[in-house]
Amino acid sequence: MSRLLVTGGAGFIGSNFVHHVIGHTDHDVTVLDALTYAGNRDSLEGLPADRVTFVEGDITDASLVDELFGQVDAVVHYAAESHNDNSLHDPRPFLDTNIVGTYTLLEAARRHGRRFHHISTDEVYGDLELDDPARFTEETPYNPSSPYSSTKAGSDLLVRAWVRSFGVAATISNCSNNYGPYQHVEKFIPRQITNVIRGIRPKLYGAGENVRDWIHADDHSSAVLTILDRGRIGETYLIGADGEQNNKEVVELILELMGQPRDAYDHVVDRAGHDLRYAIDSSKLRDELGWTPAFGDFPSGLARTIEWYRDNEDWWAPSKQATEAFYSSKGQ
Ligand code: NAD
Ligand code: TDX
């Protein structure tokens, strides 16, 4: 592999992946990104221009996609509409990008015979009870809850069908909740960090008992590179770093790390259909491909993330006001 096409490379996890690839491999990268509200070219600042090419465009644009597939050796597909709350408000873009966009890329992968890695989420498996000791595995049946997760589930099934029916050389990974730099302020952790910076109290949906399994975005990137390198074609790999925390614990830790009283937050209207708990068993990835996460310690990864938001207000400030206006119109 020498040139990778990274769709959604101006988004949160895609941009972390591009930084990781440039820092840890000798691959070059072409980014294809539509620069929706969630995309930000500044997330790719400082990368070498002779190794990273940026193309503004839509993954549903079949002729552009076809042209770009002809110029690369492999494709890593991050582009998506990614926010559950937005999918409850306006599902249509989720169908267009997550379903039709993935279909458009798969057809190009088929035509050009390109290696394809599809990025997905643990949310395709639905949720677990809070007191259930089980975790998701690659065998857990699909049972998505939201318009977002159902379109991601649909995109995964398209990839599986294109492998089986047309022999596309694809792999899939389903990762748990990511945190780290360059995450949009609509998402839970950056929303609360930037609220505290702005003197706004953090907002916890419902009782705050919902559990998420946190992984640093850089660990997600190393796992994806491992799968691209050594993953078996047609296989799915779950990615997780044993980082289960309930939302209340995360908010209390953010407040403590930012020098505020641990109870200085508000409970707000709960999310409709709010998944209770996600938890990943990543044994297959660890045992079969030898991957391990580098960020073992959630509090220190979170402290570094807080530092990043303190140091990069210019990056997030332009989105903050509109994001909070949207939430407050929903009582959140
Ligand atoms: P994000 O919303 O931060 O970024 C998405 C990027 O895709 C943006 O840069 C956006 O401009 C681009 N994009 C959207 N529609 C496009 C289109 N039609 N054509 C081209 N580009 C388009 O999302 P993220 O959190 O970085 O998530 C990236 C991927 O990882 C998604 O596939 C998501 O389902 C998956 N994932 C996310 C998490 C998480 O915790 N955020 C966890 C597991 C999996
Ligand atoms: O203000 C908030 N208060 C709050 O309590 C927000 C924005 C969220 N929450 C809760 C909802 C969830 O239980 O925090 C948890 C995390 O919320 P999000 O950041 O919206 O993430 P989630 O819905 O869990 O989905 C994320 O992980 C899986 C990503 O957004 C998805 O793209 C990914 O697939």
Side-chain angles (χ1 to χ4, degrees):
M1 264 174 252
S2 55
R3 180 166 284 272
L4 301 178
L5 178 64
V6 178
T7 72
F12 163 45
I13 309 179
S15 64
N16 273 278
F17 180 73
V18 177
H19 283 276
H20 189 94
V21 166
I22 296 303
H24 291 84
T25 76
D26 53 14
H27 301 315
D28 295 331
V29 173
T30 299
V31 169
L32 171 61
D33 197 295
L35 296 180
T36 68
Y37 81 95
N40 191 338
R41 276 210 70 161
D42 293 346
S43 305
L44 299 169
E45 230 174 49
L47 290 166
D50 59 338
R51 293 187 59 198
V52 179
T53 303
F54 182 81
V55 178
E56 183 174 347
D58 203 295
I59 59 167
T60 61
D61 179 343
S63 61
L64 174 63
V65 163
D66 196 61
E67 182 190 328
L68 293 175
F69 270 62
Q71 300 167 5
V72 299
D73 303 285
V75 179
V76 188
H77 172 35
Y78 288 91
E81 285 293 335
S82 69
H83 194 35
N84 277 298
D85 292 319
N86 291 345
S87 81
L88 297 166
H89 173 67
D90 181 15
R92 178 64 200 235
F94 290 76
L95 289 143
D96 293 338
T97 291
N98 301 356
I99 303 278
V100 179
T102 301
Y103 155 77
T104 308
L105 297 170
L106 285 167
E107 282 291 81
R110 176 186 172 191
R111 266 195 304 279
H112 291 272
R114 292 293 181 264
R115 174 82 173 84
F116 187 81
H117 182 71
H118 177 64
I119 302 294
S120 192
T121 168
D122 58 1
E123 297 192 22
V124 299
Y125 300 113
D127 62 351
L128 299 158
E129 295 296 329
L130 294 178
D131 59 359
D132 183 351
R135 298 190 292 172
F136 299 135
T137 73
E138 289 77 4
E139 272 67 55
T140 305
Y142 274 37
N143 187 26
S145 313
S146 73
Y148 162 66
S149 53
S150 60
T151 57
K152 289 298 292 186
S155 69
D156 294 8
L157 298 183
L158 292 176
V159 177
R160 290 181 182 191
W162 261 244
V163 171
R164 170 125 183 203
S165 304
F166 306 122
V168 168
T171 41
I172 300 175
S173 54
N174 297 79
C175 188
S176 61
N177 282 61
N178 285 222
Y179 72 98
Y182 304 112
Q183 187 170 29
H184 195 279
V185 292
E186 70 188 356
K187 302 296 195 318
F188 178 53
I189 287 180
R191 183 182 184 202
Q192 314 313 340
I193 294 171
T194 55
N195 275 355
V196 175
I197 292 171
R198 283 286 162 86
I200 305 168
R201 285 163 70 91
K203 310 291 181 214
L204 209 44
Y205 292 174
E209 283 168 358
N210 307 60
V211 172
R212 297 295 183 261
D213 190 351
W214 293 99
I215 181 174
H216 194 279
D218 203 48
D219 281 334
H220 188 178
S221 297
S222 70
V224 169
L225 272 181
T226 302
I227 297 165
L228 256 188
D229 204 27
R230 302 196 286 282
R232 284 184 291 135
I233 298 305
E235 292 291 314
T236 289
Y237 295 90
L238 263 54
I239 305 174
D242 301 331
E244 279 186 70
Q245 303 268 340
N246 78 28
N247 295 338
K248 190 161 158 296
E249 292 165 338
V250 174
V251 161
E252 287 172 352
L253 185 56
I254 290 171
L255 284 161
E256 185 183 319
L257 289 168
M258 298 184 77
Q260 302 292 316
R262 283 169 66 89
D263 61 355
Y265 59 84
D266 295 329
H267 291 279
V268 295
V269 175
D270 207 354
R271 173 183 285 171
H274 197 172
D275 280 342
L276 288 174
R277 172 172 161 258
Y278 306 139
I280 287 269
D281 177 349
S282 57
S283 305
K284 178 177 172 183
L285 175 64
R286 293 171 191 241
D287 297 346
E288 201 179 285
L289 304 185
W291 173 82
T292 46
F295 283 78
D297 175 9
F298 180 67
S300 66
L302 189 58
R304 277 176 57 175
T305 305
I306 291 169
E307 270 321 295
W308 190 87
Y309 281 91
R310 280 196 166 123
D311 292 345
N312 289 279
E313 193 155 346
D314 287 353
W315 182 90
W316 57 263
S319 313
K320 183 66 181 167
Q321 203 182 346
T323 302
E324 288 308 311
F326 172 76
Y327 280 128
S328 73
S329 74
K330 311 264 171 257
Q332 293 179 321

